[in-house]
Amino acid sequence: MFEKVLVANRGEIAVRVMRACEELGVGTVAVYSEADKHAGFVRYADEAYNVGPARAADSYTDQEAILEAAKKADADAIHPGYGFLAENADFAARVEETDGVTWIGPPSGAMERLGEKTHARQVMREADVPIVPGTTEPVEDVEQITDFGDEHGYPVLIKAEGGGGGMGQKIVRGPEDAEEQLETAKREGEAYFSNATVYLERFLDNPRHIEVQILGDEHGNVRHLGERDCSLQRRRQKVIEEGPSPALTDDLREKIGEAARRGADAGNYYNAGTFEFLVEDEDRNDEGLLDEDADFFFLEVNTRIQVEHTVTEEITDIDIVKWQIRVADGEELSFEQDDVEIEGHAMEFRINAENAANEFAPATGGEFDVYDPPGGIGVRVDDAHRQGDDLVTDYDSMIAKLITSGGDREECVARGKRALADYTIEGFPTIIPFHRLMLTDETFLEGRHTTKYLDEHIDPERIDEAQERWGTAEPTASDDEDEEVVEREFTIEVNGKRFQVDLEERGAPAIPTGDGGGGGGGQAQRPQPGRGGSSDDSGGGVSAEGQEVAAEMQGTILEVNVAEGDEVAAGDVLCVLEAMKMENDIVAESAGTVTHVEVSEGESVDMGDTMFVID
């Protein structure tokens, strides 16, 4: 077994992997960005190393920095979690080529065959796994899209080859949309997955999203662990997942599971992975279920652990993360397919720092003023935060996962209601009120929801009412700053390795901390040169007269369309801002001359930061 595993990720999934390592007697190494200096997952690890600034491209996806940290820590394996570098076949290959370090995941060759969508579609077609009608070669120009639309009809779905989680997916509703949506999909693919390649699929109007968990070893054994239903989505982002699906007959679920096994065999796949399918929700049987005659189509393979792997663990009693580590160490699966038993029901609720009543807008800051997770029979919480931690908004908005389980779906829902009511988070809004609403929603409780339900059918006023009834107020400044005892936590870095020093001051004012490498406590704010949101005079904020165009949300600049001196008209797009995996055009409210451009492509901005000045 490995001696020390470096977890190349952050947040709750980093802690999840570390817990599995701890139970196996394996040491753990965290890597962290400047934004995560005081994060809970860093505290949990045996060792921790700083790998760069807040921007993910300069830290969590910096391959050289990750490999250098592994070398410094003398780690003999790397687990990528999900997101960031988890599905990067090039990085997996680099780890495989590094002496003394093992990649905990599928081999890079299998990741390349199945992780990239067009390759995966070719493999699935050869394995007699049904695929959505579409292209198996990359799409280069608009004419290919319009020709496909003429043949298969509109809408047409453009998908980024390296995409996932809804990123790089654009719907073309008619020929006139083709050029703009093609450019957008390519841009998102390049920005988020370093791969601008896209392909086409027929757009399925009202499907269910069903996925099958796979485990395989390098000895040729492949097992499927049943299916999960991930149909409750908003803007193609999953919010509640469950297993088994409330909509499938046993015959259909077995048919889909066997298709996934065939696909894994054809792709020479081992370690953990998920085969995702779309099932057309039509022609239910007399019991209101989709039977084996229902059409289903291969969607994609996620060549990594999934966010919702917890659902499968609860209904199979199989620790998927431990098996990832064991398989990477060369072990053979100790159970046969017939040994896999699905017992009871489980649901996962993604606890996101978002306001569902404001179109699921992510929180722009705050602190875990109160953090009190639930417990009891059938309740599991995967998290990394503790009360008093700052909310880090530089990455995705998920802060924890609540998983409930029971003997059947009814008991699982009942435990979900209890646990959500007991889950107290104060300091910023979360989508807990939305989850509580869904557990009273008739369509969801009957299992008749599809991927379109949240975006097109649910009454938004019901979400507003739930947020008002159960929601947490926006953060406010504390009125009580006068404390006799000041406790400060300092972070010290020596050659990039993190150490903690706790200091208690009695009868003295708080120790000022600036932007130095040893500052702690998370209380000091860094000046932000060139931005109007600076809280002091040293920030160099924009002082020129004119209309300031400020960021209305935290996000990343994907594209800057103007330069200083440009003339703009009202409605002209100044830049494209990505927030919560959605692109937002930032436009000029009135005509004028651009006198200041304070942002650049790839830069992160906070709400209120000045981006442009127009005179």
Side-chain angles (χ1 to χ4, degrees):
M1 181 52 66
F2 304 116
E3 293 293 327
K4 191 184 295 185
V5 171
L6 182 146
V7 184
N9 219 291
R10 64 180 299 278
E12 60 80 24
I13 187 58
V15 173
R16 169 71 186 92
V17 174
M18 291 172 191
R19 285 171 174 159
C21 289
E22 187 175 17
E23 292 178 16
L24 291 171
V26 177
T28 57
V29 181
V31 292
Y32 65 96
S33 72
E34 288 291 338
D36 279 330
K37 181 177 292 186
H38 303 292
F41 76 93
V42 181
R43 296 193 297 262
Y44 195 92
D46 297 324
E47 301 177 43
Y49 291 81
N50 186 327
V51 289
R55 184 169 177 258
D58 298 324
S59 52
Y60 293 114
T61 62
D62 185 336
Q63 298 183 24
E64 291 291 344
I66 301 297
L67 290 172
E68 181 62 24
K71 180 180 178 180
K72 288 180 179 179
D74 197 25
D76 52 357
I78 293 178
H79 193 302
Y82 49 69
F84 296 135
L85 295 170
E87 293 184 275
N88 189 309
D90 291 337
F91 180 64
R94 291 189 65 180
V95 175
E96 291 167 346
E97 294 166 1
T98 301
D99 290 339
V101 182
T102 299
W103 172 253
I104 300 180
S108 59
M111 292 176 68
E112 188 171 356
R113 284 190 299 275
L114 297 182
E116 294 195 350
K117 311 303 189 275
T118 53
H119 291 176
R121 286 169 60 83
Q122 294 171 5
V123 172
M124 293 305 110
R125 186 170 59 183
E126 293 169 2
D128 196 29
V129 176
I131 63 175
V132 179
T135 61
T136 54
E137 296 294 334
V139 171
E140 301 291 344
D141 54 54
V142 173
E143 186 177 359
Q144 290 175 275
I145 301 174
T146 55
D147 287 346
F148 185 87
D150 291 341
E151 179 180 355
H152 295 281
Y154 290 93
V156 172
L157 186 63
I158 307 176
K159 301 183 71 174
E161 174 115 316
M167 286 306 302
Q169 294 187 23
K170 298 299 169 185
I171 300 172
V172 180
R173 301 195 179 277
E176 66 281 359
D177 295 336
E179 183 174 4
E180 178 183 354
Q181 300 292 42
L182 175 62
E183 292 177 358
T184 302
K186 283 186 172 183
R187 183 169 66 240
E188 286 190 1
E190 178 64 35
Y192 293 100
F193 310 105
S194 301
N195 185 349
T197 304
V198 298
Y199 67 102
L200 305 178
E201 284 183 356
R202 178 168 69 86
F203 183 71
L204 298 182
D205 187 53
N206 201 34
R208 295 192 76 88
H209 185 126
I210 304 296
E211 60 187 31
V212 178
Q213 178 70 57
I214 288 290
L215 265 180
D217 60 35
E218 56 187 281
H219 306 284
N221 302 300
V222 179
R223 313 283 184 256
H224 78 77
L225 308 184
E227 91 283 358
R228 299 183 289 257
D229 194 317
C230 306
S231 300
L232 197 73
Q233 305 178 7
R234 50 106 175 114
R235 299 196 294 267
R236 295 187 294 277
Q237 293 293 302
K238 303 167 186 174
V239 286
I240 298 177
E241 304 98 340
E242 62 182 307
S245 170
L248 308 186
T249 62
D250 289 340
D251 290 337
L252 179 57
R253 62 171 42 98
E254 184 60 26
K255 192 174 178 180
I256 295 174
E258 286 304 313
R261 286 187 66 189
R262 288 200 307 275
D265 283 334
N268 296 320
Y269 190 94
Y270 63 82
N271 211 279
T274 301
F275 283 65
E276 299 195 347
F277 298 87
L278 296 179
V279 181
E280 293 198 307
D281 196 345
E282 300 175 353
D283 302 323
R284 295 197 176 207
N285 63 18
D286 294 339
E287 298 176 350
L289 300 175
L290 299 169
D291 59 27
E292 60 181 337
D293 294 329
D295 290 329
F296 68 92
F297 303 98
F298 168 79
L299 177 62
E300 63 186 23
V301 182
N302 293 123
T303 57
R304 54 173 169 79
I305 196 73
Q306 290 270 98
V307 174
E308 59 272 22
H309 74 278
T310 57
V311 169
T312 300
E313 290 182 330
E314 293 304 307
I315 59 177
T316 63
D317 198 28
I318 293 174
D319 190 320
I320 299 171
V321 177
K322 278 188 184 178
W323 271 113
Q324 280 192 291
I325 299 168
R326 287 169 171 157
V327 165
D329 194 43
E331 287 191 33
E332 186 172 359
L333 294 177
S334 61
F335 56 91
E336 302 295 330
Q337 185 62 55
D338 290 344
D339 296 328
V340 179
E341 297 183 359
I342 308 298
E343 296 185 356
H345 200 93
M347 287 184 179
E348 177 182 273
F349 305 89
R350 299 193 183 200
I351 308 301
N352 298 339
E354 300 172 4
N355 185 343
N358 187 23
E359 298 183 345
F360 292 90
T364 57
E367 181 180 301
F368 287 80
D369 294 334
V370 176
Y371 185 71
D372 188 10
I377 295 176
V379 174
R380 166 180 171 178
V381 177
D382 280 20
D383 60 12
H385 297 286
R386 293 296 177 264
Q387 189 162 302
D389 286 353
D390 289 328
L391 175 67
V392 175
T393 59
D394 296 81
Y395 312 104
D396 68 82
S397 63
M398 190 174 71
I399 57 175
K401 301 182 309 197
L402 169 65
I403 307 95
T404 61
S405 58
D408 54 27
R409 192 169 188 258
E410 183 178 2
E411 184 174 49
C412 179
V413 168
R415 286 176 174 166
K417 290 180 178 179
R418 169 178 63 80
L420 287 164
D422 288 347
Y423 208 150
T424 304
I425 303 176
E426 295 181 4
F428 49 85
T430 73
I431 63 168
I432 288 176
F434 165 80
H435 288 315
R436 297 180 70 175
L437 169 66
M438 294 315 301
L439 293 191
T440 66
D441 182 83
E442 184 176 346
T443 300
F444 178 77
L445 293 177
E446 292 178 352
R448 291 185 172 275
H449 57 288
T450 67
T451 57
K452 297 292 189 66
Y453 181 59
L454 292 184
D455 291 335
E456 299 182 6
H457 299 293
I458 194 168
D459 183 355
E461 290 187 4
R462 296 178 60 209
I463 299 177
D464 295 344
E465 293 169 357
Q467 186 68 31
E468 183 177 352
R469 179 179 179 185
W470 295 309
T472 299
E474 296 286 347
T476 57
S478 173
D479 294 328
D480 185 10
E481 300 287 346
D482 186 17
E483 297 185 21
E484 294 182 2
V485 179
V486 179
E487 296 179 354
R488 304 302 297 264
E489 178 185 277
F490 285 81
T491 300
I492 300 173
E493 292 171 13
V494 179
N495 294 328
K497 184 175 180 179
R498 178 184 188 276
F499 299 89
Q500 287 185 191
V501 177
D502 296 326
L503 177 65
E504 183 178 281
E505 287 265 318
R506 294 182 179 273
I511 300 170
T513 58
D515 193 27
Q523 300 298 319
Q525 296 185 0
R526 295 178 190 157
Q528 300 184 41
R531 293 189 180 176
S534 178
S535 59
D536 59 28
D537 294 336
S538 65
V542 176
S543 59
E545 295 182 358
Q547 172 204 347
E548 292 188 0
V549 181
E552 296 182 355
M553 64 192 78
Q554 184 274 335
T556 301
I557 303 296
L558 292 184
E559 182 178 283
V560 178
N561 297 325
V562 296
E564 292 182 3
D566 285 356
E567 299 289 333
V568 296
D572 283 354
V573 178
L574 304 175
C575 70
V576 179
L577 173 67
E578 183 277 329
M580 274 307 298
K581 302 185 180 180
M582 298 294 291
E583 291 191 10
N584 304 273
D585 289 340
I586 306 301
V587 301
E589 294 183 1
S590 59
T593 302
V594 178
T595 59
H596 286 77
V597 176
E598 301 298 324
V599 293
S600 58
E601 185 176 321
E603 182 179 359
S604 296
V605 296
D606 292 323
M607 184 175 68
D609 286 350
T610 297
M611 299 186 292
F612 305 92
V613 178
I614 300 174
D615 191 9

